[in-house]
């Protein structure tokens, strides 16, 4: 009987990586291979759920505009959103500076900091929501006047004077 790899070994006797990842985790393991204790039902379920999420994301991306995420943090953007619980009304326009972009599959969202009635307003908008009609870039690199933003999240703009990121004067 061949020696099985112990816990400290990175590779199994045949040279393949253990524990199996991806689609190999769904397959049954042979009895004479490495111990089965590393392949748990939780890992199998995670592999299945990751495949479902990836398929959903590809389906949604195929049906949406490919240039939907064509902006960066620090850009002045305008997002047209359908009214909540009412698909028949005209879309609302949300204008502001993108201060954060969270890329997380179907949960990808953007935080927009704008000014309404001279008060700062911050909104989190899911990008792949069916309520989002389109996203238009009004001006690139708006925060640093033409230079790229030096941070991934521009939360420091919350403490600044709203006139520094006000878009009402832009056409």
């Amino acid at each position: 009987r061949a020696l099985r790899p112990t816990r400290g070994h990175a590779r199994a006797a045949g040279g393949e990586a253990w524990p199996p990842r991806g689609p190999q985790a769904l397959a049954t393991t042979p009895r004479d291979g490495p111990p089965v204790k590393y392949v748990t039902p939780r890992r199998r379920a995670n592999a299945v759920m990751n495949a479902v999420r990836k398929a959903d994301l590809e389906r949604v991306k195929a049906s949406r505009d490919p240039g939907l995420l064509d902006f960066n943090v620090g850009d002045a953007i305008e997002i047209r959103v359908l009214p909540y619980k009412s698909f028949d009304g005209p879309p609302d326009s949300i204008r502001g500076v993108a201060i954060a972009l969270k890329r997380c599959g179907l949960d990808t969202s953007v935080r927009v900091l704008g000014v309404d009635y001279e008060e700062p307003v911050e909104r989190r908008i899911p990008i792949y929501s069916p309520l989002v009609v389109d996203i238009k870039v009004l001006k690139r690199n708006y925060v640093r006047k033409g230079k790229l933003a030096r941070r991934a999240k521009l939360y420091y703009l919350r403490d600044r004077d709203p006139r520094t990121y006000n878009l009402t004067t832009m056409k």
Side-chain angles (χ1 to χ4, degrees):
R1 187 170 150 167
L3 293 174
R4 293 184 177 179
T6 60
R7 196 170 242 227
H9 289 81
R11 301 241 175 233
E16 67 275 358
W18 190 258
R21 305 209 186 280
Q24 296 92 1
L26 300 175
T28 58
T29 57
R31 291 196 179 264
D32 58 344
V36 183
K37 66 180 180 179
Y38 293 111
V39 182
T40 62
R42 178 183 56 84
R43 286 198 180 178
R44 286 186 196 137
N46 284 346
V48 170
M49 286 306 298
N50 287 339
V52 168
R53 283 189 198 109
K54 190 173 183 179
D56 281 347
L57 182 63
E58 294 302 322
R59 180 181 52 81
V60 170
K61 278 187 175 180
S63 67
R64 300 301 295 260
D65 179 25
L68 195 64
L69 276 172
D70 192 25
F71 62 91
N72 292 322
V73 174
D75 293 350
I77 60 175
E78 179 179 9
I79 302 175
R80 293 186 341 147
V81 181
L82 292 174
Y84 185 63
K85 294 186 179 178
S86 164
F87 286 98
D88 55 353
D92 296 331
S93 178
I94 299 171
R95 299 173 78 179
V97 176
I99 62 169
L101 185 61
K102 182 183 120 186
R103 297 178 190 266
C104 191
L106 280 178
D107 297 331
T108 300
S109 63
V110 62
R111 281 193 182 267
V112 177
L113 182 64
V115 178
D116 285 345
Y117 302 106
E118 299 179 2
E119 287 294 320
V121 177
E122 184 176 326
R123 295 182 182 100
R124 185 188 147 276
I125 299 155
I127 298 292
Y128 295 114
S129 168
L131 296 176
V132 174
V133 177
D134 68 340
I135 299 174
K136 184 168 68 171
V137 178
L138 300 175
K139 187 170 181 184
R140 297 232 179 244
N141 308 321
Y142 179 73
V143 173
R144 294 198 65 225
K145 310 298 183 231
K147 299 178 190 172
L148 285 174
R150 298 181 66 140
R151 306 276 182 275
K153 308 283 191 260
L154 304 180
Y155 293 141
Y156 64 88
L157 289 178
R158 295 172 178 164
D159 301 330
R160 294 226 175 142
D161 186 25
R163 287 179 288 185
T164 59
Y165 51 84
N166 191 358
L167 299 178
T168 56
T169 58
M170 285 187 61
K171 296 286 180 196

